[in-house]
Amino acid sequence: MDAMDAQQVTADTRRFRIFRYKRGDEGGKHFDEFVVPVGPRTTLLEALLWIQLHRDRSLALRHSCLHASCGTCGLLANGREALACVTPVSDLGDEITVEPLANIPVLTDLVSDMGAFYARLPDRHPFLRASEFLPDADSPEGLSEYVRFEDCLECGLCLSACPVASTSRDYVGPGALTAAHRLLEDRRGADEQALLDWAAGPNGAWRCHAAYECTEVCPAGADPAGRIMAIRGELLRRRNGSER
């Protein structure tokens, strides 16, 4: 801790407690503290980058788009899931604890292994599909067809907030079930029965406890909990012999 870190937190600074961990050093997990100068519009990501630039270049974190489109800067701020790029420091108090997402393996410091999130997604189904195209419409030069990208940022915040995922690594999680529901909703190229069989499995939609924490933290409004309930409704309809 240098001279600035030893200063008292003022209106223009915030004290940060940052989780530190280097892969393979399980016994070395700890928190480092930094006092960071902030302004009225400073984001959490800007504060973390200031630490990386001015105090500790070894601090590892992920970021890309800077405007809540890519989902790569997901983390825990004072125990709550957030995207660092759009989270104002002014909303977090004078002392801010920053940790990696929960329920996802940590690679180093604030960087989570998102492979564990993607591995939960349903297999063998197209997540990028040809969009509808009017026969009499002209496509822009150099573009042969349109494609539709989904609302989900695949940031992992929903999985981190899920109380079931915190007790079971086998539960597929809200992100994966949201992806399955989007495929069912679209009905192009996906095997609906295979998706429903997957969602009806012992680690699928029925494991959800309907805490709605996933929907609460979702930065894209994808409503994972609502989509899980919709899958349950479809499963019940098919169980009772009445398809959509």
Side-chain angles (χ1 to χ4, degrees), residues 34-52:
F34 306 91
V35 173
V36 179
V38 299
R41 301 175 67 178
T42 300
T43 66
L44 179 55
L45 178 58
E46 289 171 333
L48 293 172
L49 290 174
W50 187 93
I51 294 172
Q52 189 183 63

mmCIF file with all atom_site columns, all heavy atoms in Angstrom, residues 34-52:
data_model
loop_
_atom_site.group_PDB
_atom_site.id
_atom_site.type_symbol
_atom_site.label_atom_id
_atom_site.label_alt_id
_atom_site.label_comp_id
_atom_site.label_asym_id
_atom_site.label_entity_id
_atom_site.label_seq_id
_atom_site.pdbx_PDB_ins_code
_atom_site.Cartn_x
_atom_site.Cartn_y
_atom_site.Cartn_z
_atom_site.occupancy
_atom_site.B_iso_or_equiv
_atom_site.pdbx_formal_charge
_atom_site.auth_seq_id
_atom_site.auth_comp_id
_atom_site.auth_asym_id
_atom_site.auth_atom_id
_atom_site.pdbx_PDB_model_num
ATOM 1   N N   . PHE A 1 34 ? -7.043  -0.648 -2.725  1.00 0.00 ? 34 PHE A N   1
ATOM 2   C CA  . PHE A 1 34 ? -6.564  0.504  -3.468  1.00 0.00 ? 34 PHE A CA  1
ATOM 3   C C   . PHE A 1 34 ? -7.524  1.673  -3.242  1.00 0.00 ? 34 PHE A C   1
ATOM 4   O O   . PHE A 1 34 ? -8.736  1.474  -3.177  1.00 0.00 ? 34 PHE A O   1
ATOM 5   C CB  . PHE A 1 34 ? -6.512  0.214  -4.974  1.00 0.00 ? 34 PHE A CB  1
ATOM 6   C CG  . PHE A 1 34 ? -5.726  -1.000 -5.346  1.00 0.00 ? 34 PHE A CG  1
ATOM 7   C CD1 . PHE A 1 34 ? -6.341  -2.246 -5.446  1.00 0.00 ? 34 PHE A CD1 1
ATOM 8   C CD2 . PHE A 1 34 ? -4.364  -0.905 -5.606  1.00 0.00 ? 34 PHE A CD2 1
ATOM 9   C CE1 . PHE A 1 34 ? -5.617  -3.371 -5.801  1.00 0.00 ? 34 PHE A CE1 1
ATOM 10  C CE2 . PHE A 1 34 ? -3.632  -2.026 -5.960  1.00 0.00 ? 34 PHE A CE2 1
ATOM 11  C CZ  . PHE A 1 34 ? -4.256  -3.261 -6.056  1.00 0.00 ? 34 PHE A CZ  1
ATOM 12  N N   . VAL A 1 35 ? -6.983  2.868  -3.123  1.00 0.00 ? 35 VAL A N   1
ATOM 13  C CA  . VAL A 1 35 ? -7.793  4.081  -3.104  1.00 0.00 ? 35 VAL A CA  1
ATOM 14  C C   . VAL A 1 35 ? -7.709  4.705  -4.477  1.00 0.00 ? 35 VAL A C   1
ATOM 15  O O   . VAL A 1 35 ? -6.620  4.978  -4.992  1.00 0.00 ? 35 VAL A O   1
ATOM 16  C CB  . VAL A 1 35 ? -7.330  5.061  -2.008  1.00 0.00 ? 35 VAL A CB  1
ATOM 17  C CG1 . VAL A 1 35 ? -8.076  6.384  -2.130  1.00 0.00 ? 35 VAL A CG1 1
ATOM 18  C CG2 . VAL A 1 35 ? -7.554  4.450  -0.631  1.00 0.00 ? 35 VAL A CG2 1
ATOM 19  N N   . VAL A 1 36 ? -8.862  4.937  -5.084  1.00 0.00 ? 36 VAL A N   1
ATOM 20  C CA  . VAL A 1 36 ? -8.922  5.337  -6.485  1.00 0.00 ? 36 VAL A CA  1
ATOM 21  C C   . VAL A 1 36 ? -9.622  6.683  -6.620  1.00 0.00 ? 36 VAL A C   1
ATOM 22  O O   . VAL A 1 36 ? -10.708 6.879  -6.054  1.00 0.00 ? 36 VAL A O   1
ATOM 23  C CB  . VAL A 1 36 ? -9.684  4.278  -7.307  1.00 0.00 ? 36 VAL A CB  1
ATOM 24  C CG1 . VAL A 1 36 ? -9.777  4.692  -8.773  1.00 0.00 ? 36 VAL A CG1 1
ATOM 25  C CG2 . VAL A 1 36 ? -9.023  2.919  -7.165  1.00 0.00 ? 36 VAL A CG2 1
ATOM 26  N N   . PRO A 1 37 ? -9.042  7.624  -7.361  1.00 0.00 ? 37 PRO A N   1
ATOM 27  C CA  . PRO A 1 37 ? -9.736  8.895  -7.623  1.00 0.00 ? 37 PRO A CA  1
ATOM 28  C C   . PRO A 1 37 ? -10.902 8.663  -8.573  1.00 0.00 ? 37 PRO A C   1
ATOM 29  O O   . PRO A 1 37 ? -10.785 7.936  -9.565  1.00 0.00 ? 37 PRO A O   1
ATOM 30  C CB  . PRO A 1 37 ? -8.651  9.757  -8.279  1.00 0.00 ? 37 PRO A CB  1
ATOM 31  C CG  . PRO A 1 37 ? -7.704  8.782  -8.895  1.00 0.00 ? 37 PRO A CG  1
ATOM 32  C CD  . PRO A 1 37 ? -7.698  7.580  -7.988  1.00 0.00 ? 37 PRO A CD  1
ATOM 33  N N   . VAL A 1 38 ? -12.046 9.249  -8.262  1.00 0.00 ? 38 VAL A N   1
ATOM 34  C CA  . VAL A 1 38 ? -13.242 9.062  -9.088  1.00 0.00 ? 38 VAL A CA  1
ATOM 35  C C   . VAL A 1 38 ? -13.934 10.401 -9.310  1.00 0.00 ? 38 VAL A C   1
ATOM 36  O O   . VAL A 1 38 ? -13.751 11.358 -8.550  1.00 0.00 ? 38 VAL A O   1
ATOM 37  C CB  . VAL A 1 38 ? -14.234 8.071  -8.437  1.00 0.00 ? 38 VAL A CB  1
ATOM 38  C CG1 . VAL A 1 38 ? -13.604 6.700  -8.267  1.00 0.00 ? 38 VAL A CG1 1
ATOM 39  C CG2 . VAL A 1 38 ? -14.732 8.602  -7.091  1.00 0.00 ? 38 VAL A CG2 1
ATOM 40  N N   . GLY A 1 39 ? -14.732 10.444 -10.341 1.00 0.00 ? 39 GLY A N   1
ATOM 41  C CA  . GLY A 1 39 ? -15.573 11.593 -10.634 1.00 0.00 ? 39 GLY A CA  1
ATOM 42  C C   . GLY A 1 39 ? -17.032 11.186 -10.556 1.00 0.00 ? 39 GLY A C   1
ATOM 43  O O   . GLY A 1 39 ? -17.356 10.012 -10.324 1.00 0.00 ? 39 GLY A O   1
ATOM 44  N N   . PRO A 1 40 ? -17.951 12.103 -10.784 1.00 0.00 ? 40 PRO A N   1
ATOM 45  C CA  . PRO A 1 40 ? -19.383 11.791 -10.668 1.00 0.00 ? 40 PRO A CA  1
ATOM 46  C C   . PRO A 1 40 ? -19.874 10.774 -11.688 1.00 0.00 ? 40 PRO A C   1
ATOM 47  O O   . PRO A 1 40 ? -20.911 10.153 -11.490 1.00 0.00 ? 40 PRO A O   1
ATOM 48  C CB  . PRO A 1 40 ? -20.053 13.156 -10.867 1.00 0.00 ? 40 PRO A CB  1
ATOM 49  C CG  . PRO A 1 40 ? -19.042 14.000 -11.581 1.00 0.00 ? 40 PRO A CG  1
ATOM 50  C CD  . PRO A 1 40 ? -17.710 13.523 -11.101 1.00 0.00 ? 40 PRO A CD  1
ATOM 51  N N   . ARG A 1 41 ? -19.124 10.581 -12.791 1.00 0.00 ? 41 ARG A N   1
ATOM 52  C CA  . ARG A 1 41 ? -19.581 9.663  -13.834 1.00 0.00 ? 41 ARG A CA  1
ATOM 53  C C   . ARG A 1 41 ? -18.623 8.483  -14.044 1.00 0.00 ? 41 ARG A C   1
ATOM 54  O O   . ARG A 1 41 ? -18.734 7.745  -15.000 1.00 0.00 ? 41 ARG A O   1
ATOM 55  C CB  . ARG A 1 41 ? -19.759 10.426 -15.150 1.00 0.00 ? 41 ARG A CB  1
ATOM 56  C CG  . ARG A 1 41 ? -20.753 11.566 -15.042 1.00 0.00 ? 41 ARG A CG  1
ATOM 57  C CD  . ARG A 1 41 ? -20.826 12.392 -16.312 1.00 0.00 ? 41 ARG A CD  1
ATOM 58  N NE  . ARG A 1 41 ? -21.387 11.641 -17.423 1.00 0.00 ? 41 ARG A NE  1
ATOM 59  C CZ  . ARG A 1 41 ? -21.581 12.154 -18.633 1.00 0.00 ? 41 ARG A CZ  1
ATOM 60  N NH1 . ARG A 1 41 ? -21.237 13.417 -18.881 1.00 0.00 ? 41 ARG A NH1 1
ATOM 61  N NH2 . ARG A 1 41 ? -22.113 11.421 -19.591 1.00 0.00 ? 41 ARG A NH2 1
ATOM 62  N N   . THR A 1 42 ? -17.709 8.287  -13.120 1.00 0.00 ? 42 THR A N   1
ATOM 63  C CA  . THR A 1 42 ? -16.756 7.181  -13.237 1.00 0.00 ? 42 THR A CA  1
ATOM 64  C C   . THR A 1 42 ? -17.480 5.842  -13.132 1.00 0.00 ? 42 THR A C   1
ATOM 65  O O   . THR A 1 42 ? -18.290 5.629  -12.233 1.00 0.00 ? 42 THR A O   1
ATOM 66  C CB  . THR A 1 42 ? -15.688 7.269  -12.141 1.00 0.00 ? 42 THR A CB  1
ATOM 67  O OG1 . THR A 1 42 ? -14.986 8.497  -12.266 1.00 0.00 ? 42 THR A OG1 1
ATOM 68  C CG2 . THR A 1 42 ? -14.695 6.114  -12.249 1.00 0.00 ? 42 THR A CG2 1
ATOM 69  N N   . THR A 1 43 ? -17.191 4.940  -14.056 1.00 0.00 ? 43 THR A N   1
ATOM 70  C CA  . THR A 1 43 ? -17.762 3.599  -13.995 1.00 0.00 ? 43 THR A CA  1
ATOM 71  C C   . THR A 1 43 ? -16.818 2.670  -13.238 1.00 0.00 ? 43 THR A C   1
ATOM 72  O O   . THR A 1 43 ? -15.625 2.958  -13.057 1.00 0.00 ? 43 THR A O   1
ATOM 73  C CB  . THR A 1 43 ? -18.006 3.023  -15.392 1.00 0.00 ? 43 THR A CB  1
ATOM 74  O OG1 . THR A 1 43 ? -16.745 2.820  -16.049 1.00 0.00 ? 43 THR A OG1 1
ATOM 75  C CG2 . THR A 1 43 ? -18.879 3.947  -16.224 1.00 0.00 ? 43 THR A CG2 1
ATOM 76  N N   . LEU A 1 44 ? -17.349 1.537  -12.833 1.00 0.00 ? 44 LEU A N   1
ATOM 77  C CA  . LEU A 1 44 ? -16.538 0.547  -12.134 1.00 0.00 ? 44 LEU A CA  1
ATOM 78  C C   . LEU A 1 44 ? -15.394 0.064  -13.025 1.00 0.00 ? 44 LEU A C   1
ATOM 79  O O   . LEU A 1 44 ? -14.267 -0.119 -12.550 1.00 0.00 ? 44 LEU A O   1
ATOM 80  C CB  . LEU A 1 44 ? -17.425 -0.621 -11.708 1.00 0.00 ? 44 LEU A CB  1
ATOM 81  C CG  . LEU A 1 44 ? -16.759 -1.783 -10.989 1.00 0.00 ? 44 LEU A CG  1
ATOM 82  C CD1 . LEU A 1 44 ? -15.988 -1.322 -9.772  1.00 0.00 ? 44 LEU A CD1 1
ATOM 83  C CD2 . LEU A 1 44 ? -17.810 -2.823 -10.593 1.00 0.00 ? 44 LEU A CD2 1
ATOM 84  N N   . LEU A 1 45 ? -15.660 -0.120 -14.299 1.00 0.00 ? 45 LEU A N   1
ATOM 85  C CA  . LEU A 1 45 ? -14.595 -0.556 -15.203 1.00 0.00 ? 45 LEU A CA  1
ATOM 86  C C   . LEU A 1 45 ? -13.490 0.490  -15.301 1.00 0.00 ? 45 LEU A C   1
ATOM 87  O O   . LEU A 1 45 ? -12.302 0.155  -15.285 1.00 0.00 ? 45 LEU A O   1
ATOM 88  C CB  . LEU A 1 45 ? -15.162 -0.849 -16.589 1.00 0.00 ? 45 LEU A CB  1
ATOM 89  C CG  . LEU A 1 45 ? -14.141 -1.274 -17.652 1.00 0.00 ? 45 LEU A CG  1
ATOM 90  C CD1 . LEU A 1 45 ? -13.388 -2.526 -17.216 1.00 0.00 ? 45 LEU A CD1 1
ATOM 91  C CD2 . LEU A 1 45 ? -14.815 -1.489 -18.998 1.00 0.00 ? 45 LEU A CD2 1
ATOM 92  N N   . GLU A 1 46 ? -13.851 1.756  -15.373 1.00 0.00 ? 46 GLU A N   1
ATOM 93  C CA  . GLU A 1 46 ? -12.844 2.815  -15.440 1.00 0.00 ? 46 GLU A CA  1
ATOM 94  C C   . GLU A 1 46 ? -11.979 2.821  -14.188 1.00 0.00 ? 46 GLU A C   1
ATOM 95  O O   . GLU A 1 46 ? -10.763 3.032  -14.258 1.00 0.00 ? 46 GLU A O   1
ATOM 96  C CB  . GLU A 1 46 ? -13.525 4.173  -15.635 1.00 0.00 ? 46 GLU A CB  1
ATOM 97  C CG  . GLU A 1 46 ? -14.127 4.351  -17.020 1.00 0.00 ? 46 GLU A CG  1
ATOM 98  C CD  . GLU A 1 46 ? -14.979 5.592  -17.130 1.00 0.00 ? 46 GLU A CD  1
ATOM 99  O OE1 . GLU A 1 46 ? -15.541 6.041  -16.102 1.00 0.00 ? 46 GLU A OE1 1
ATOM 100 O OE2 . GLU A 1 46 ? -15.105 6.124  -18.255 1.00 0.00 ? 46 GLU A OE2 1
ATOM 101 N N   . ALA A 1 47 ? -12.603 2.586  -13.032 1.00 0.00 ? 47 ALA A N   1
ATOM 102 C CA  . ALA A 1 47 ? -11.840 2.546  -11.789 1.00 0.00 ? 47 ALA A CA  1
ATOM 103 C C   . ALA A 1 47 ? -10.873 1.358  -11.780 1.00 0.00 ? 47 ALA A C   1
ATOM 104 O O   . ALA A 1 47 ? -9.719  1.478  -11.351 1.00 0.00 ? 47 ALA A O   1
ATOM 105 C CB  . ALA A 1 47 ? -12.795 2.464  -10.594 1.00 0.00 ? 47 ALA A CB  1
ATOM 106 N N   . LEU A 1 48 ? -11.328 0.207  -12.272 1.00 0.00 ? 48 LEU A N   1
ATOM 107 C CA  . LEU A 1 48 ? -10.466 -0.970 -12.314 1.00 0.00 ? 48 LEU A CA  1
ATOM 108 C C   . LEU A 1 48 ? -9.310  -0.769 -13.292 1.00 0.00 ? 48 LEU A C   1
ATOM 109 O O   . LEU A 1 48 ? -8.165  -1.160 -13.015 1.00 0.00 ? 48 LEU A O   1
ATOM 110 C CB  . LEU A 1 48 ? -11.278 -2.192 -12.709 1.00 0.00 ? 48 LEU A CB  1
ATOM 111 C CG  . LEU A 1 48 ? -12.322 -2.661 -11.691 1.00 0.00 ? 48 LEU A CG  1
ATOM 112 C CD1 . LEU A 1 48 ? -13.184 -3.764 -12.279 1.00 0.00 ? 48 LEU A CD1 1
ATOM 113 C CD2 . LEU A 1 48 ? -11.673 -3.124 -10.390 1.00 0.00 ? 48 LEU A CD2 1
ATOM 114 N N   . LEU A 1 49 ? -9.588  -0.146 -14.418 1.00 0.00 ? 49 LEU A N   1
ATOM 115 C CA  . LEU A 1 49 ? -8.516  0.127  -15.379 1.00 0.00 ? 49 LEU A CA  1
ATOM 116 C C   . LEU A 1 49 ? -7.524  1.141  -14.821 1.00 0.00 ? 49 LEU A C   1
ATOM 117 O O   . LEU A 1 49 ? -6.331  1.086  -15.130 1.00 0.00 ? 49 LEU A O   1
ATOM 118 C CB  . LEU A 1 49 ? -9.122  0.626  -16.695 1.00 0.00 ? 49 LEU A CB  1
ATOM 119 C CG  . LEU A 1 49 ? -9.897  -0.431 -17.496 1.00 0.00 ? 49 LEU A CG  1
ATOM 120 C CD1 . LEU A 1 49 ? -10.569 0.216  -18.710 1.00 0.00 ? 49 LEU A CD1 1
ATOM 121 C CD2 . LEU A 1 49 ? -8.986  -1.563 -17.933 1.00 0.00 ? 49 LEU A CD2 1
ATOM 122 N N   . TRP A 1 50 ? -7.995  2.077  -13.999 1.00 0.00 ? 50 TRP A N   1
ATOM 123 C CA  . TRP A 1 50 ? -7.089  3.036  -13.351 1.00 0.00 ? 50 TRP A CA  1
ATOM 124 C C   . TRP A 1 50 ? -6.129  2.289  -12.421 1.00 0.00 ? 50 TRP A C   1
ATOM 125 O O   . TRP A 1 50 ? -4.929  2.565  -12.394 1.00 0.00 ? 50 TRP A O   1
ATOM 126 C CB  . TRP A 1 50 ? -7.879  4.078  -12.576 1.00 0.00 ? 50 TRP A CB  1
ATOM 127 C CG  . TRP A 1 50 ? -7.028  5.179  -12.024 1.00 0.00 ? 50 TRP A CG  1
ATOM 128 C CD1 . TRP A 1 50 ? -6.747  6.386  -12.598 1.00 0.00 ? 50 TRP A CD1 1
ATOM 129 C CD2 . TRP A 1 50 ? -6.323  5.172  -10.767 1.00 0.00 ? 50 TRP A CD2 1
ATOM 130 N NE1 . TRP A 1 50 ? -5.920  7.128  -11.798 1.00 0.00 ? 50 TRP A NE1 1
ATOM 131 C CE2 . TRP A 1 50 ? -5.631  6.412  -10.671 1.00 0.00 ? 50 TRP A CE2 1
ATOM 132 C CE3 . TRP A 1 50 ? -6.201  4.257  -9.738  1.00 0.00 ? 50 TRP A CE3 1
ATOM 133 C CZ2 . TRP A 1 50 ? -4.849  6.733  -9.565  1.00 0.00 ? 50 TRP A CZ2 1
ATOM 134 C CZ3 . TRP A 1 50 ? -5.413  4.572  -8.648  1.00 0.00 ? 50 TRP A CZ3 1
ATOM 135 C CH2 . TRP A 1 50 ? -4.738  5.802  -8.562  1.00 0.00 ? 50 TRP A CH2 1
ATOM 136 N N   . ILE A 1 51 ? -6.676  1.322  -11.666 1.00 0.00 ? 51 ILE A N   1
ATOM 137 C CA  . ILE A 1 51 ? -5.823  0.512  -10.791 1.00 0.00 ? 51 ILE A CA  1
ATOM 138 C C   . ILE A 1 51 ? -4.792  -0.231 -11.615 1.00 0.00 ? 51 ILE A C   1
ATOM 139 O O   . ILE A 1 51 ? -3.599  -0.261 -11.279 1.00 0.00 ? 51 ILE A O   1
ATOM 140 C CB  . ILE A 1 51 ? -6.680  -0.469 -9.968  1.00 0.00 ? 51 ILE A CB  1
ATOM 141 C CG1 . ILE A 1 51 ? -7.575  0.285  -8.981  1.00 0.00 ? 51 ILE A CG1 1
ATOM 142 C CG2 . ILE A 1 51 ? -5.788  -1.465 -9.220  1.00 0.00 ? 51 ILE A CG2 1
ATOM 143 C CD1 . ILE A 1 51 ? -8.596  -0.598 -8.276  1.00 0.00 ? 51 ILE A CD1 1
ATOM 144 N N   . GLN A 1 52 ? -5.237  -0.831 -12.701 1.00 0.00 ? 52 GLN A N   1
ATOM 145 C CA  . GLN A 1 52 ? -4.333  -1.595 -13.561 1.00 0.00 ? 52 GLN A CA  1
ATOM 146 C C   . GLN A 1 52 ? -3.240  -0.711 -14.160 1.00 0.00 ? 52 GLN A C   1
ATOM 147 O O   . GLN A 1 52 ? -2.084  -1.118 -14.282 1.00 0.00 ? 52 GLN A O   1
ATOM 148 C CB  . GLN A 1 52 ? -5.141  -2.265 -14.675 1.00 0.00 ? 52 GLN A CB  1
ATOM 149 C CG  . GLN A 1 52 ? -4.371  -3.266 -15.507 1.00 0.00 ? 52 GLN A CG  1
ATOM 150 C CD  . GLN A 1 52 ? -5.235  -3.817 -16.624 1.00 0.00 ? 52 GLN A CD  1
ATOM 151 O OE1 . GLN A 1 52 ? -5.672  -3.085 -17.505 1.00 0.00 ? 52 GLN A OE1 1
ATOM 152 N NE2 . GLN A 1 52 ? -5.490  -5.122 -16.580 1.00 0.00 ? 52 GLN A NE2 1
#
